[in-house]
Amino acid sequence: MIEEFNRQDAQNVIAIASQFAQLGKITNLKAFGSGNINDTFLVTLDSSQEQHFILQRINTQVFLQPQLIMQNMRIFTDHVHKRLQHISLNRRWEVPRVLLTKDAQDHWRDVDGSFWRAISFIEGSQSFDSMSDRSHAKEIGYALGMFHNLISDLPPEKLADTLEGFHITPLYLQHYEKVLAKTSKRQSCEVNYCLQFVSDRHTFAQILENAKLEGKLPLRLMHGDPKINNIMFDIVTHQAVSVIDLDTVKPGLVHYDIGDCLRSGCNSAGEETENWESVYFDTDLCQEILQGYVAVAKAFLTENDYAYIYDAIRLITFELGLRFFADYLAGNVYFKVKHPEHNLARAIVQFKLTESIEFQETQIRNMIQDMK
Ligand code: GN1
Ligand code: MG
């Protein structure tokens, strides 16, 4: 059975999937997840050894050297698999495996030059776009803590930079200024709100990069995109069992991850809402997520790390709004959109969330202080 896309496209994708299908015959293929960059498919096999796998077409407009993603992924998943064999965890935890083609390559180039790769699917698990159950919050934090913990002994320089400038907020600001100088987008109440919002936060945009330059925050390995729908939950136990979407695992600040996880986890209205008045930062969820995180991560967090957590939450939320807004002004060239104003609407969600974070600064800072 083939779902959700036209027959010819589906046949092409099935032919590509079959390059990676070493353990059985393909019985189903469907578009999967809600990624903004790559195209993702869930492939079903008639094999008892491997029932499903994930097939992805990497967006090479964004990832200019996709082979580096695969190189990184092989290095750190090997590292983590080895580490997991030597520690006794009394719960399920999995790391996706890189699947090879029939001729032992970690990717496949199709006739159009598109870059495809496959990874294992975490069976019996699911993810959520927003927190459907408050009890998930601690598990989300635990998952990010586990992720950081398991790679904390892999030297950052072992992994390549798969996406230069990723999460360097001042660079996004520079890009925005350039786009703004050229844009012909008409002024509207929403556009003016965003313009003002960004202009009021120019100095703040430097905060994490300054801390990095001053040596206050060390370069470590980070996930890069730990939004909550990249955390997989066991369908039966409701425990977090894996962190997926590993394309941006590379040297960086764990603060980018902490900020990203909280900005997505504590916004119950979700990234895609157009009901902007309903957007707020839920500090109860924040507390739960952070407690889950710190329980695992306290082993490596320093005094300075704690001191910058509030700024990280505020900055990464602002940064994503800025990235969406710049892309709207540039004509939607980076993030996939469903309509021309989509990135503008997404930007406003993140800016409203930033406002809510700023409004609750004292409370959030106190909460972090009490967690040490
Ligand atoms: C993009 O494609 P996806 O949904 O996994 C983006 C993230 C953003 C996210 C917002 C490489 O991730 O940085 O936080 O959208 N990934 C890249 O939903 O730019
Ligand atoms: Mg991603």
Side-chain angles (χ1 to χ4, degrees), residues 35-38 63 166 223-225 227 230 245-248:
N36 291 328
I37 310 287
N38 298 325
F63 295 102
F166 191 53
H223 179 280
D225 189 18
K227 57 179 176 180
N230 282 332
D245 191 0
L246 308 172
D247 303 327
T248 47

Side-chain angles (χ1 to χ4, degrees), residues 214-228:
E214 289 161 14
K216 291 184 180 155
L217 298 178
L219 203 64
R220 297 185 173 112
L221 286 177
M222 59 159 189
H223 179 280
D225 189 18
K227 57 179 176 180
I228 58 166

Side-chain angles (χ1 to χ4, degrees), residues 34-38 56 62-63 163 166-167 172 224-227 229-230 245 247-248 260 263-264 271-272 316 319-320 323-324 334-336 346 350:
S34 49
N36 291 328
I37 310 287
N38 298 325
Q56 288 183 298
V62 169
F63 295 102
L163 194 53
F166 191 53
H167 290 317
Y172 290 116
D225 189 18
K227 57 179 176 180
N229 62 13
N230 282 332
D245 191 0
D247 303 327
T248 47
D260 200 52
R263 68 133 198 100
S264 71
E271 269 178 42
E272 295 291 324
I316 293 298
E319 180 196 274
L320 184 58
R323 292 172 64 201
F324 283 140
Y334 185 96
F335 295 104
K336 289 185 207 166
R346 287 166 167 161
Q350 297 303 317

Side-chain angles (χ1 to χ4, degrees), residues 207-208 211 216-217 255 301-313 361 365 368-369 372:
I207 193 152
L208 287 187
K216 291 184 180 155
L217 298 178
H255 286 71
L301 290 179
T302 66
E303 195 65 32
N304 273 340
D305 285 331
Y306 287 100
Y308 280 94
I309 290 180
Y310 167 77
D311 298 306
I313 305 170
E361 171 170 359
R365 281 194 190 277
I368 297 163
Q369 187 64 24
K372 289 194 255 173

Side-chain angles (χ1 to χ4, degrees), residues 70-113:
M70 301 316 295
Q71 182 185 302
N72 277 1
M73 222 184 249
R74 290 174 79 165
I75 295 173
F76 82 81
T77 56
D78 278 358
H79 174 87
V80 174
H81 282 130
K82 281 195 197 111
R83 249 197 97 183
L84 284 171
Q85 281 166 10
H86 294 105
I87 53 176
S88 59
L89 268 187
N90 51 6
R91 53 182 283 173
R92 181 181 175 199
W93 187 260
E94 289 185 38
V95 183
R97 285 172 291 111
V98 172
L99 304 186
L100 301 182
T101 61
K102 288 171 180 158
D103 49 0
Q105 302 301 306
D106 58 22
H107 66 276
W108 173 260
R109 286 262 183 200
D110 70 14
V111 281
D112 303 327

